[in-house]
Amino acid sequence: MMRTIRDTSLISVATALTLALAMSITPAHAQTAADAALDMANMLDGAGGGVSGAALLAALENAAEAGQPMAMWQLGTMYENGEGVAKDPAKAFGYFAQIANEHADAAPRGVESDIVAQSFVKVGDYYKEGLPDAGIPADAERSHALLLHAATYFGDADAQYRVGLLYLNADELGVNPLQSARWFSLAARKGHCPAQAQLGRLLFNGVEGIEAQPIEGLMWLNLAQQRCTGTADAAWINDLINQANSIATPEQQGEATKLATSIAPQFAGF
């Protein structure tokens, strides 16, 4: 897989960032390594650290060359989104692929496991669509394999949710509601609100192999609605819960609300 690194002479800035990343200096409010990478960039950028955009980019490149996954991740997201640099999917792919290649067997509950898992997800996304500029053809089988590694070995909630969706699509992994519910359940119990909504829908309606469980289904839908408020997923989740409530009895709605209220604190840290 492609690796894109640019040399720089800004040794002092680069060394400071490399050491900070190597020592895992994570701001108190950062919950994941991906958050820490962004916080580190924000801290060094502009007035916060007196470092120019060019110096920050150079420092990140030096840290990435030194093998720091957080720096590679930050560079990948910058090039993917065109933040501070010209948008370049090929370079973004290179950094995410480098993380996945070099850390595929990293500790699944390690400090940077979220970055590694999400890098597998991102590389899988690139293989799904193909990336001609980087010589990457569309390869659904490889895309699935990368996603499954993130979902199984790393237990990444977003990857597990995506696998659940693949089992609802005949053109992906084939329609298998039981497998879909299993993967949604794994992600839902980690606080992933779209997975909670999809699990709630399956349980509320019932499908082949899954008996309808309207109270538990509504419980998950209620949790999803609460947790996804203000996100891009809020609209379709609201549609699901409105549809379910139009069918459920007042007693079922009341029981579901009580259950959702009782277990909501379990997800407060997610």
Side-chain angles (χ1 to χ4, degrees):
M1 293 183 179
M2 186 184 68
R3 176 181 176 182
T4 304
I5 301 293
R6 195 149 54 100
D7 292 332
T8 177
S9 60
L10 298 171
I11 303 301
S12 60
V13 175
T15 301
L17 178 58
T18 301
L19 288 174
L21 291 168
M23 294 172 65
S24 299
I25 298 176
T26 305
H29 65 276
Q31 295 182 340
T32 68
D35 293 334
L38 179 59
D39 287 342
M40 182 64 67
N42 290 336
M43 182 182 72
L44 291 174
D45 194 17
V51 180
S52 70
L56 171 61
L57 180 62
L60 286 169
E61 287 173 339
N62 267 280
E65 190 173 60
Q68 294 299 329
M70 284 199 291
M72 297 179 212
W73 173 265
Q74 184 62 25
L75 285 165
T77 56
M78 287 168 65
Y79 280 111
E80 183 175 67
N81 301 316
E83 297 172 349
V85 293
K87 193 172 184 177
D88 191 330
K91 284 187 177 181
F93 173 85
Y95 283 116
F96 295 137
Q98 185 179 352
I99 296 172
N101 282 340
E102 296 179 359
H103 301 275
D105 57 353
R109 297 294 181 270
V111 173
E112 294 162 340
S113 61
D114 60 311
I115 279 178
V116 180
Q118 280 297 301
S119 293
F120 271 92
V121 172
K122 285 185 176 291
V123 175
D125 285 344
Y126 282 114
Y127 272 108
K128 181 177 182 179
E129 302 297 331
L131 191 60
D133 289 347
I136 302 300
D139 187 336
E141 185 174 347
R142 190 164 192 178
S143 175
H144 295 162
L146 290 162
L147 189 62
L148 282 164
H149 185 71
T152 55
Y153 180 76
F154 288 101
D156 182 78
D158 186 54
Q160 291 171 338
Y161 169 67
R162 289 169 177 247
V163 173
L165 292 177
L166 292 180
Y167 276 113
L168 292 178
N169 192 329
D171 295 327
E172 297 289 352
L173 292 178
V175 177
N176 188 327
L178 282 173
Q179 280 289 349
S180 185
R182 171 179 174 263
W183 287 105
F184 287 149
S185 179
L186 289 171
R189 295 174 193 283
K190 294 172 183 170
H192 193 284
C193 57
Q196 292 174 338
Q198 292 287 3
L199 177 62
R201 179 181 65 83
L202 289 177
L203 292 175
F204 182 84
N205 294 316
V207 292
E208 184 178 353
I210 302 176
E211 184 178 352
Q213 302 171 51
I215 294 175
E216 186 172 354
L218 265 179
M219 176 199 74
W220 285 113
L221 285 167
N222 280 326
L223 286 169
Q225 185 182 48
Q226 294 167 16
R227 295 183 56 76
C228 273
T229 297
T231 71
D233 296 295
W236 66 265
I237 291 174
N238 287 337
D239 288 343
L240 285 182
I241 196 166
N242 288 338
Q243 182 180 4
N245 279 326
S246 71
I247 300 171
T249 67
E251 290 77 16
Q252 290 171 334
Q253 293 177 31
E255 286 298 318
T257 299
K258 288 179 183 178
L259 284 173
T261 300
S262 69
I263 71 169
Q266 298 178 21
F267 304 109
F270 292 97

